[in-house]
Amino acid sequence: MKTLYLECNMGAAGDMLMAALLELADDRQAFLQQMNGLSLSGVAVQAHPSQKCGILGTHVDIMVHGETECSDDGQTAHAHSHDEATEHGHTHESEHNSDDHSHHHEEPHATETAHHHEGLHGIEHIITELAVPEPVRADALAVFRLLAEAEGHVHGMPMDEIHFHEVGTMDAVADIVGVCLLMHLLAPEQVIASPVHVGSGRVRCAHGLLPVPAPATAYLLKDVPIYGGNVRGELCTPTGAALLRHFAASFGDLPMMRLGKIGYGMGSKDFAAANCVRAMLGETPDKPSDVVELCCNLDDLTPEAVGFAFERLMDAGALDVYTTSIGMKKNRPGVILTCMCRAQQRDAMLRLIFKHTTTLGVREYTCRRYVLKRAVRSVEIGGTSIRVKEASGWGVSRSKLEYEDVAAYARKNDLSLAQAADVIRRRTDIDQ
């Protein structure tokens, strides 16, 4: 199984994760060209070599209108309500002694302390308009919704009323979209992360001093193994936590792996330990795994609410969610909502089911799951990249065109879906 392991011994931030994954990419320049070709106003993505503790890696800079923005790497995410948004400054800096290490990046200049406010809907509009594959867009939107949910919880308000500061600036949008795009290009079958080093001490923001991890980060890292230590400062940022939360199926030690590629994503600050996220891509043994099915009967929930619950479960990493029509007591039509997830996701999925449905009880079944080995490759047709999903094992081998790519090709060339698929198969070696 193609496995990506993220080693977060010095925390995680959006730019560090992007840099680590970039080192695993087959064509780094093509990725940078694609990022710089997006409709992100005034944004330029740059990557250059960086060395920490004698280890050579990559550092990513996000330039906005020719200047390096106050990066998410080491800056506490902060959000305000509509009323608060015009009342507070936005400078974020660590409280530390002369021998303390604070954030990964340098503090912002005085002229950079004013940031553009952007609400969740505004950010969703920006991402929706980007020329990226649909799965990348969906991942980026899901990450920002996690951030909005965390900020809404911290501030005690609906996430639609949250105004992002550092997390809402264009550099953070670029960080998140860049990580999601690289995940799409690398196409790991599973992502595992190490326990997360969050740092220690306190961080100063517009509201005053906050403990490390910052409240939004702590909320995002619920049920994730974390630890502090002697490093003073904020090592794991809300954006880093949200990306880990969205992509990592589990957190733990490095599994047995036939290692293929290694990437080092460097931060800006120097510490006694190498300030980096290490990404390792390789093959782990295929083996049957236990999955959990969580089921509940629903007869008093609108179809829209069922669909919303379905969406929230999938966004949280469920393996599958589906409904089955049933007849219930008092001759009421209803549905069984079934959520299939990994055992370590059980509690999180249960909370979501109880939160987003009217059920009073959930049934649990443990199943043994056997899977085919999966891989994704791309073919080029007329300048359009078409992904091909391949599966093999247990004496079978099959391939399937990615629906979103076929649909995009059909729209571009004014073809029906069947016609587009037929053209793609005839012009490639795809046998479907």
Side-chain angles (χ1 to χ4, degrees):
M1 178 181 292
K2 189 178 183 181
T3 299
L4 174 66
Y5 185 76
L6 300 173
E7 189 177 77
C8 305
N9 292 341
M10 289 298 287
D15 56 353
M16 295 170 70
L17 286 166
M18 178 160 47
L21 297 177
L22 180 57
E23 289 217 324
L24 304 179
D26 292 330
D27 192 338
R28 302 182 191 183
Q29 194 58 40
F31 167 78
L32 293 173
Q33 289 175 354
Q34 184 171 3
M35 285 296 297
N36 288 317
L38 300 178
S39 55
L40 290 174
S41 178
V43 173
V45 182
Q46 302 176 354
H48 54 83
S50 176
Q51 193 172 78
K52 301 292 179 185
C53 297
I55 300 173
L56 183 63
T58 295
H59 178 73
V60 168
D61 278 323
I62 308 296
M63 308 294 290
V64 181
H65 299 299
E67 296 183 356
T68 303
E69 286 290 282
C70 181
S71 169
D72 179 62
D73 178 5
Q75 290 296 327
T76 300
H78 197 63
H80 290 303
S81 66
H82 290 287
D83 293 335
E84 289 179 303
T86 58
E87 299 174 1
H88 298 274
H90 319 304
T91 302
H92 298 270
E93 56 187 22
S94 284
E95 180 189 62
H96 58 88
N97 299 322
S98 60
D99 59 345
D100 287 339
H101 291 288
S102 58
H103 296 308
H104 295 220
H105 283 285
E106 299 298 333
E107 298 298 337
H109 297 295
T111 57
E112 296 173 343
T113 58
H115 289 271
H116 174 65
H117 298 289
E118 190 68 82
L120 178 60
H121 291 312
I123 292 172
E124 289 179 332
H125 177 73
I126 292 170
I127 294 173
T128 300
E129 295 299 314
L130 296 179
V132 294
E134 179 57 34
V136 176
R137 190 178 298 114
D139 284 334
L141 290 171
V143 172
F144 263 106
R145 287 172 187 148
L146 286 174
L147 285 166
E149 179 184 342
E151 291 290 355
H153 175 82
V154 168
H155 291 280
M157 64 184 64
M159 63 183 183
D160 289 344
E161 296 181 15
I162 289 296
H163 271 213
F164 297 103
H165 291 172
E166 275 72 24
V167 168
T169 53
M170 296 304 291
D171 62 311
V173 174
D175 278 341
I176 290 172
V177 172
V179 170
C180 293
L181 179 57
L182 283 165
M183 284 288 191
H184 175 72
L185 294 173
L186 295 171
E189 297 173 71
Q190 68 171 343
V191 179
I192 304 172
S194 71
V196 182
H197 189 178
V198 296
S200 65
R202 295 179 293 182
V203 61
R204 185 183 300 279
C205 75
H207 286 307
L209 292 174
L210 298 178
V212 173
T217 304
Y219 180 86
L220 288 161
L221 293 177
K222 287 194 305 182
D223 300 321
V224 172
I226 65 174
Y227 61 98
N230 296 325
V231 178
R232 301 280 293 180
E234 182 184 40
L235 298 184
C236 186
T237 67
T239 298
L243 286 164
L244 291 174
R245 188 86 201 198
H246 178 70
F247 284 109
S250 61
F251 294 81
D253 295 333
L254 176 69
M256 184 174 69
M257 175 188 293
R258 182 179 292 108
L259 197 55
K261 295 181 178 180
I262 306 171
Y264 293 87
M266 302 302 191
S268 291
K269 289 287 186 179
D270 292 321
F271 296 88
N275 182 20
C276 67
V277 169
R278 181 161 66 170
M280 291 177 272
L281 189 65
E283 293 288 331
T284 53
D286 292 333
K287 60 181 180 181
S289 60
D290 289 340
V291 295
V292 173
E293 285 189 352
L294 303 174
C295 307
C296 62
N297 294 7
L298 302 169
D299 66 356
D300 57 351
L301 203 60
T302 66
E304 292 90 348
V306 173
F308 185 76
F310 188 112
E311 174 188 305
R312 300 306 294 145
L313 290 164
M314 291 299 294
D315 286 345
L319 295 171
D320 199 4
V321 182
Y322 56 93
T323 59
T324 307
S325 297
I326 56 173
M328 295 182 62
K329 61 184 179 182
K330 300 181 181 179
N331 297 320
R332 295 175 182 169
V335 298
I336 298 175
L337 177 68
T338 302
C339 172
M340 183 185 298
C341 64
R342 296 178 175 86
Q344 60 267 29
Q345 298 173 299
R346 177 195 296 109
D347 291 348
M349 296 298 164
L350 283 170
R351 282 194 292 271
L352 288 173
I353 291 173
F354 282 118
K355 179 178 179 179
H356 295 294
T357 75
T358 54
T359 188
L360 300 178
V362 178
R363 302 180 299 278
E364 175 186 329
Y365 304 94
T366 301
C367 308
R368 178 58 58 88
R369 180 174 179 245
Y370 299 88
V371 298
L372 296 178
K373 181 179 178 61
R374 288 165 289 179
V376 179
R377 64 186 178 95
S378 296
V379 295
E380 294 290 330
I381 298 181
T384 301
S385 179
I386 307 293
R387 284 168 294 160
V388 183
K389 297 185 289 187
E390 299 177 330
S392 61
W394 296 88
V396 301
S397 178
R398 62 175 71 106
S399 61
K400 181 179 181 181
L401 299 173
E402 174 57 52
Y403 163 76
E404 295 293 348
D405 295 348
V406 177
Y409 184 84
R411 296 187 193 101
K412 180 180 178 181
N413 295 278
D414 193 25
L415 301 171
S416 71
L417 198 64
Q419 289 172 327
D422 184 59
V423 169
I424 293 168
R425 284 195 295 267
R426 285 191 286 106
R427 294 186 183 181
T428 67
D429 60 349
I430 307 302
D431 182 17
Q432 183 176 333

